[in-house]
Amino acid sequence: QAMLSSSLPRFLSRSPATVPRRSVSVGDLALPSVTLLTRAGEKTPIDIFKGKKVVLVGVVGCFTGTCNTQVPMYSQLLSEYHSKGVDSIAITSVNDVHVMNAWQDSLPGGADLTFLADPKGEFAKALDLAIDLDAASLGLRSKRYSMLVDDGVVKKLKVEGNPGQSTVTDAKIFLAEL
């Protein structure tokens, strides 16, 4: 057993962090003290948002029907987002980094977006954007949302009422509102 824990990546073996919950809203800082995981390694919200204008898209789950339709539209419209001053588009989900990487590789245009794994849901919980989907056998997940973050400050936030739909968080609709 000691051999197993010593061979686990550091992020899997550390004890869970206590993250205070608070509802995020326009004008708030989107910089909770949590760590997100990417193909390139660990990132904090400061690494992702400081000095940049980022569209952050929270999705319920990788490889799900609505998410597989919603996310590629963001990459298709990336140049239009850039023309509105957006530096990058990031996708986050309560999934492990391996599933996020596989999903990114499977999506058309996935390489043009940043994928942020939130394996314990700490980021989603810290922003009060987590949802309990135990009834659907999905456990803790992120709500479906689109957020414009400018230098760490939330400038626009749209949250879906139904996690299975992409209406206000649709890439074209969110772009039109910027």
Side-chain angles (χ1 to χ4, degrees), residues 39-172:
R39 185 179 304 274
E42 295 182 352
K43 301 269 186 195
T44 67
I46 291 172
D47 299 327
I48 297 158
F49 301 128
K50 187 161 176 62
K52 300 173 198 145
K53 189 181 279 189
V54 179
V55 170
L56 179 65
V57 182
V59 297
V60 178
C62 303
F63 297 104
T64 61
T66 304
C67 300
N68 277 348
T69 304
Q70 179 189 21
V71 171
M73 286 302 300
Y74 278 93
S75 89
Q76 288 175 14
L77 296 171
L78 188 58
S79 64
E80 293 179 51
Y81 275 94
H82 286 318
S83 73
K84 298 237 182 181
V86 172
D87 297 304
S88 64
I89 298 175
I91 310 299
T92 186
S93 183
V94 178
N95 276 130
D96 67 75
V97 71
H98 306 292
V99 171
M100 290 292 285
N101 290 343
W103 189 44
Q104 180 179 17
D105 293 343
S106 77
L107 292 173
D112 299 327
L113 307 174
T114 302
F115 281 64
L116 305 167
D118 184 13
K120 297 178 188 173
E122 292 174 343
F123 183 71
K125 288 186 281 189
L127 298 179
D128 199 23
L129 291 171
I131 185 170
D132 181 352
L133 293 177
D134 270 344
S137 299
L138 295 172
L140 177 77
R141 296 295 175 144
S142 172
K143 291 180 181 178
R144 186 176 310 281
Y145 63 89
S146 294
M147 178 187 304
L148 177 65
V149 182
D150 190 354
D151 196 21
V153 178
V154 177
K155 296 295 185 175
K156 180 171 270 314
L157 175 63
K158 298 290 183 174
V159 181
E160 294 291 349
N162 179 336
Q165 295 179 343
S166 174
T167 53
V168 298
T169 60
D170 175 83
K172 288 180 183 176

